[in-house]
Amino acid sequence: MSMKSIFCPHCGHVLTPKKIGDEGFVPYCIACVKPIFEHSPVCILTMVINEYNEVALLKQDYVTKQHLVFVAGYYKPGESAEEAVRREVYEEIGQTVYALSYVESFYHERLDTLFLCYISKVHKAPFV
């Protein structure tokens, strides 16, 4: 078993592996008396489409000017995945999502990130 976490995020105590039911061995804090379940970061990925079936593609300038991508961004604690989609679309292109639908999720091993994929509907408007 491989543990990513070494210290408890709540009290700082050293974590030790403990068998927890059908979860197997998980990091455990004996000071807090609870398991610490490790999580990968969560990112939303959405195809933004308007009523004319035009799709918004963004240029990633930190990779190459010719690399086009869908709107994506990390989930922030306290928001739902759908709220994250609406926030990211507004932050990235200034559009308000009026409808969205979940498509699928996938795990990106190199980034150690769980992606939640959506289709977002917006009304045609200039990008900000």
Side-chain angles (χ1 to χ4, degrees), residues 14-64:
V14 174
L15 298 172
T16 56
K18 181 175 181 179
K19 187 161 175 49
I20 306 290
D22 62 354
E23 296 294 331
F25 285 92
V26 298
Y28 189 82
C29 179
I30 59 172
C32 294
V33 192
K34 67 179 182 178
I36 305 298
F37 291 97
E38 300 181 288
H39 301 281
S40 298
V42 177
C43 187
I44 62 89
L45 177 67
T46 186
M47 178 174 69
V48 180
I49 187 167
N50 67 20
E51 66 270 29
Y52 300 103
N53 289 324
E54 297 171 324
V55 176
L57 294 173
L58 307 178
K59 290 182 181 179
Q60 274 189 334
D61 57 0
Y62 59 86
V63 176
T64 167

Side-chain angles (χ1 to χ4, degrees), residues 44-113:
I44 62 89
L45 177 67
T46 186
M47 178 174 69
V48 180
I49 187 167
N50 67 20
E51 66 270 29
Y52 300 103
N53 289 324
E54 297 171 324
V55 176
L57 294 173
L58 307 178
K59 290 182 181 179
Q60 274 189 334
D61 57 0
Y62 59 86
V63 176
T64 167
K65 295 284 186 196
Q66 295 160 7
H67 190 77
L68 301 175
V69 298
F70 291 136
V71 172
Y74 287 95
Y75 153 87
K76 292 183 179 178
E79 66 184 355
S80 69
E82 292 77 13
E83 288 169 335
V85 170
R86 289 182 179 94
R87 177 183 50 77
E88 286 293 340
V89 169
Y90 190 78
E91 287 177 1
E92 295 289 333
I93 61 175
Q95 304 297 310
T96 300
V97 174
Y98 70 82
L100 60 92
S101 57
Y102 175 76
V103 177
E104 70 177 358
S105 66
F106 69 92
Y107 176 72
H108 192 293
E109 189 172 357
R110 184 178 58 80
L111 299 176
D112 181 32
T113 300

